[in-house]
Amino acid sequence: MFDSVLVANRGEIAVRVIRALRSLGIRSVAVYSDADAEALHVRLADEAVRIGPAAARESYLSIEKIVAAAVSTGAQAIHPGYGFLAENTAFAAACDAAGIVFVGPPASAIDAMGDKIRAKLTVSAAGVPVVPGRTRAGMSDDEIAEAALEIGFPVLLKPSAGGGGKGMRLVHEESALREAIESARREARGSFGDDTLLIERFITNPRHIEIQVLGDAHGNVIHLGERECSLQRRHQKIIEEAPSPFLTPEMREAMGSAAVDAAKSVGYVGAGTVEFIVDGASGDYFFMEMNTRLQVEHPVTEMVTGVDLVEWQLRVASGEVLDLTVELNGHSVEARVYAEDPARGFLPTGGRVLALSEPADVRVDSGLYEGLVVGSDYDPMLAKVIAHGRTREEALRRLDHALGRMVLLGVTTNIPFLRALLRDEDVRSGALDTGLVERKLDSLTSAEIPDDVYVAAGLERSLQPHGDDPWDQPGGWRVGEHAWTTWRINDVDVRVRGEEVVVGAGEPVRARARREGADLLVGSRRYAMARDGDVLWLGHDGASWALVEAEFLVGAAGGAAASGGPVKSPMPGTVLVVRAQQGEEVTAGQALFVVEAMKMEHTVTAPVDGVLAEVNVQAGQQVALDQVLALVVSHEE
């Protein structure tokens, strides 16, 4: 076994690998960019090496810097985690050239499975079923059109290079085919520098089921059962589970054998995943691709098999013989916690973690701690919460309850969306397919803040000390009863008088509030609470709300501002483009700025016709969530 291993990654996966190294008595070396100087993986490692600025291409994607860090610290091996360089053939080869063990498959296996056309031809030759289609390299538009007519509509166009759904086009009829081919080539060329396309039959009601495989350098390959990953949005997984509620023991054995054959066809070593698309009606399954690395969702396999996949990655990389016997025990479900706002179209968020409490009775893979600044430089995944149960129902229930107990204030997350998805009837029954989330998106997300939260915020504001002078009291001094005080909280008037609260135009409610440590108790409901300047954060049942307060005069009626006002950034990120100047006349919907975060661009537009009275940012500037970019004064003001 190795004495020292460098972890070429960040966030929760780097923390997870470092903890595995510690349990094995192996010295860990972390690498970090300037943005991650205070990250948890840096704090936990035995040694940490700075590898560059925040930009991934200059740090976590720099083969030269990472290999140099391994050499300088005496690391014998490099664990790549997932993402970044985990499936980079040149990186695996560079490790080998430097005499450092790459904890993963040989470069030849990465190369063979990295191109979808080559991968399909390789596994097909090994007898693994593939989706009917045409996968010949260098097909012209005419040849792709001819293949579509042979296969029959609907068909799916897919780039040979890359992934993540980019360049994919679903075509239902011949009349739309040519335009779809042109569009798919254009996006593939822009995203991957390669416009080679393949075409295959589109599977209706598809389920995404993958098989975990593990191989050693002595020719042994086994499978560790399957994971169901059908709950996804825009080809990005959200909730994963093991085993699949769809597979029979016979299907599991057949798909497991096919996955082992696929891995053996490329001389696979280490942990990998063979992904299949399964026809939900017929049960037919077809090879999609192979991920030549550890998967984000590997913990659910670990929970039902009792096998530590990271430990076995290290063991087989050091030359040990794979001698595992695998049995499935119970059921496990994982939810990915992201710094994103589902109510804003899943735009990434960010901020400083003001309060954190992670459930202790389930597994949590996390890179979080109180005080951590969540920026916009990298993927927005913060943590994974994984529950195990004797049955699927028990595992789903435990995961839902665990997410409800999680407290994370200071950063808006997708936890309420995850809980709504876990409670969906089709999810509970196991009637899954890859389109379920998109079909039900409106019922799974909400931008509304409950009135109870406004009540809590108003009462909390009234609990703040205001000195001994009666004239300083927010309700004003009176002989007899208190006067009403109106607060504007997130553009909603909240009127408070003693224990009475009126939210907007609603009816008065009575509630008693008190502080208990860092929490706020309103009646029988407990809120986690934290302040960040003029923003009050409240958390309850896994949800959190950022509440911006502004005091009105005693008895003021309040009311919305005129239709103009500040133009705010929808997410933390970088201003790429400024399209209008101060003093310029603008119209409603006119593009004013382009903000980029985590490789996602968002155009910020003018809310009304008016004049751009202020422009507060410039191209290249970093901005925070809801930071004021400009001020538009309406012609009616």
Side-chain angles (χ1 to χ4, degrees):
M1 183 56 75
F2 309 112
D3 295 321
S4 178
V5 174
L6 182 142
V7 183
N9 219 296
R10 63 174 303 279
E12 55 85 21
I13 183 56
V15 171
R16 188 262 179 273
V17 174
I18 288 168
R19 285 178 169 153
L21 293 171
R22 179 178 294 174
S23 71
L24 293 168
I26 300 173
R27 174 174 168 269
S28 60
V29 180
V31 293
Y32 65 92
S33 71
D34 290 342
D36 279 338
E38 298 297 323
L40 185 58
H41 76 281
V42 175
R43 297 183 174 197
L44 291 178
D46 295 304
E47 184 174 354
V49 179
R50 177 189 178 274
I51 52 172
R57 64 182 178 275
E58 300 177 54
S59 52
Y60 296 108
L61 289 174
S62 173
I63 294 174
E64 181 181 351
K65 290 180 179 178
I66 290 175
V67 171
V71 171
S72 67
T73 57
Q76 298 161 301
I78 294 179
H79 193 299
Y82 38 69
F84 294 130
L85 295 171
E87 294 179 282
N88 188 294
T89 306
F91 182 48
C95 290
D96 186 59
I100 298 169
V101 175
F102 176 75
V103 182
S108 59
I110 299 174
D111 187 50
M113 288 300 183
D115 180 285
K116 290 185 177 66
I117 290 178
R118 285 185 58 198
K120 283 198 168 190
L121 293 174
T122 300
V123 302
S124 181
V128 179
V130 298
V131 179
R134 189 175 292 181
T135 56
R136 190 172 69 249
M139 287 189 292
S140 67
D141 291 2
D142 288 341
E143 289 173 320
I144 292 174
E146 177 186 338
L149 295 176
E150 291 178 4
I151 298 166
F153 293 92
V155 296
L156 191 63
L157 299 172
K158 299 172 69 174
S160 177
K166 292 181 178 179
M168 290 176 59
R169 297 292 185 274
L170 174 60
V171 187
H172 289 278
E173 54 191 18
E174 183 179 358
S175 61
L177 183 59
R178 292 287 179 172
E179 182 179 345
I181 293 172
E182 293 176 7
S183 176
R185 285 201 192 278
R186 187 166 53 247
E187 186 171 351
R189 190 165 50 248
S191 298
F192 314 121
D194 183 352
D195 67 0
T196 303
L197 300 179
L198 58 89
I199 184 169
E200 60 188 29
R201 187 180 100 196
F202 178 71
I203 307 299
T204 56
N205 301 116
R207 299 180 77 121
H208 185 138
I209 297 176
E210 58 191 30
I211 305 291
Q212 177 70 58
V213 297
L214 192 60
D216 64 19
H218 309 281
N220 302 304
V221 180
I222 64 170
H223 77 85
L224 295 88
E226 81 284 356
R227 297 184 287 261
E228 172 103 35
C229 306
S230 297
L231 293 176
Q232 50 187 259
R233 175 181 172 271
R234 296 181 179 176
H235 307 285
Q236 298 296 317
K237 300 166 188 174
I238 301 168
I239 290 175
E240 306 97 346
E241 59 184 301
S244 165
F246 182 73
L247 262 58
T248 63
E250 294 76 21
M251 291 179 68
R252 177 174 300 113
E253 183 56 34
M255 292 178 67
S257 295
V260 168
D261 290 341
K264 285 184 174 180
S265 72
V266 293
Y268 200 82
V269 177
T273 299
V274 180
E275 302 199 355
F276 293 93
I277 187 167
V278 181
D279 190 318
S282 67
D284 294 337
Y285 60 90
F286 308 98
F287 172 87
M288 269 200 311
E289 62 183 350
M290 183 175 188
N291 290 299
T292 54
R293 54 171 169 79
L294 196 67
Q295 291 279 88
V296 175
E297 57 271 21
H298 75 275
V300 293
T301 295
E302 294 182 323
M303 298 288 277
V304 297
T305 62
V307 175
D308 187 320
L309 289 170
V310 173
E311 177 182 338
W312 273 101
Q313 280 186 297
L314 294 163
R315 290 191 180 280
V316 298
S318 66
E320 288 192 24
V321 175
L322 186 61
D323 59 355
L324 282 173
T325 300
V326 178
E327 293 183 5
L328 302 184
N329 175 35
H331 204 96
S332 184
V333 191
E334 170 183 293
R336 303 184 184 194
V337 178
Y338 280 90
E340 64 184 12
D341 189 349
R344 291 187 176 189
F346 294 87
L347 287 175
T349 61
R352 184 181 296 275
V353 178
L354 305 173
L356 176 68
S357 177
E358 296 172 335
D361 59 342
V362 295
R363 174 173 170 176
V364 180
D365 285 12
S366 166
L368 295 169
Y369 64 87
E370 287 189 11
L372 174 71
V373 175
V374 177
S376 59
D377 297 295
Y378 312 112
D379 185 273
M381 188 168 69
L382 302 174
K384 302 176 308 197
V385 182
I386 310 102
H388 182 270
R390 292 169 296 176
T391 64
R392 182 174 187 266
E393 180 182 11
E394 181 180 318
L396 288 170
R397 184 175 63 249
R398 291 194 67 207
L399 179 58
D400 180 30
H401 289 171
L403 289 169
R405 295 193 307 277
M406 190 164 181
V407 174
L408 204 175
L409 302 185
V411 180
T412 298
T413 73
N414 65 333
I415 291 177
F417 165 73
L418 294 172
R419 298 196 69 196
L421 185 56
L422 287 168
R423 295 177 179 185
D424 178 82
E425 291 183 2
D426 287 335
V427 173
R428 290 283 186 179
S429 69
L432 312 178
D433 66 79
T434 57
L436 183 149
V437 173
E438 293 290 352
R439 290 195 305 272
K440 300 190 174 191
L441 204 52
D442 289 345
S443 65
L444 299 172
T445 59
S446 175
E448 297 296 321
I449 298 178
D451 282 357
D452 288 347
V453 175
Y454 285 114
V455 169
L459 289 171
E460 193 280 335
R461 193 68 179 83
S462 69
L463 289 176
Q464 293 188 41
H466 297 279
D468 296 328
D469 190 336
W471 302 106
D472 289 337
Q473 303 309 306
W477 184 80
R478 297 285 191 282
V479 176
E481 67 178 12
H482 290 287
W484 289 97
T485 299
T486 302
W487 307 94
R488 171 57 62 88
I489 301 176
N490 284 25
D491 296 326
V492 173
D493 288 351
V494 180
R495 302 172 62 217
V496 182
R497 183 177 64 181
E499 295 179 359
E500 285 186 282
V501 184
V502 177
V503 178
E507 296 296 320
V509 297
R510 295 190 67 87
R512 178 172 295 182
R514 63 184 176 88
R515 294 191 180 92
E516 188 173 285
D519 293 345
L520 175 69
L521 270 64
V522 181
S524 61
R525 177 170 292 188
R526 180 181 294 271
Y527 291 90
M529 181 177 62
R531 280 195 170 273
D532 184 14
D534 63 349
V535 179
L536 169 68
W537 283 85
L538 293 178
H540 178 70
D541 275 353
S544 64
W545 301 273
L547 303 159
V548 182
E549 307 161 337
E551 184 175 357
F552 273 22
L553 296 174
V554 174
S563 54
V567 178
K568 299 180 180 180
S569 176
M571 58 188 183
T574 303
V575 178
L576 293 183
V577 181
V578 177
R579 299 194 183 279
Q581 304 301 317
Q582 185 168 320
E584 184 176 328
E585 293 273 346
V586 296
T587 58
Q590 178 180 335
L592 301 180
F593 307 95
V594 177
V595 179
E596 184 269 343
M598 302 171 190
K599 299 182 181 179
M600 178 186 297
E601 293 185 8
H602 188 83
T603 300
V604 183
T605 61
V608 294
D609 295 348
V611 177
L612 205 56
E614 296 179 8
V615 175
N616 302 320
V617 294
Q618 58 188 1
Q621 182 174 334
Q622 296 284 318
V623 292
L625 172 68
D626 286 331
Q627 180 172 331
V628 176
L629 308 178
L631 178 66
V632 175
V633 176
S634 169
H635 290 311
E636 299 177 0
E637 294 184 34

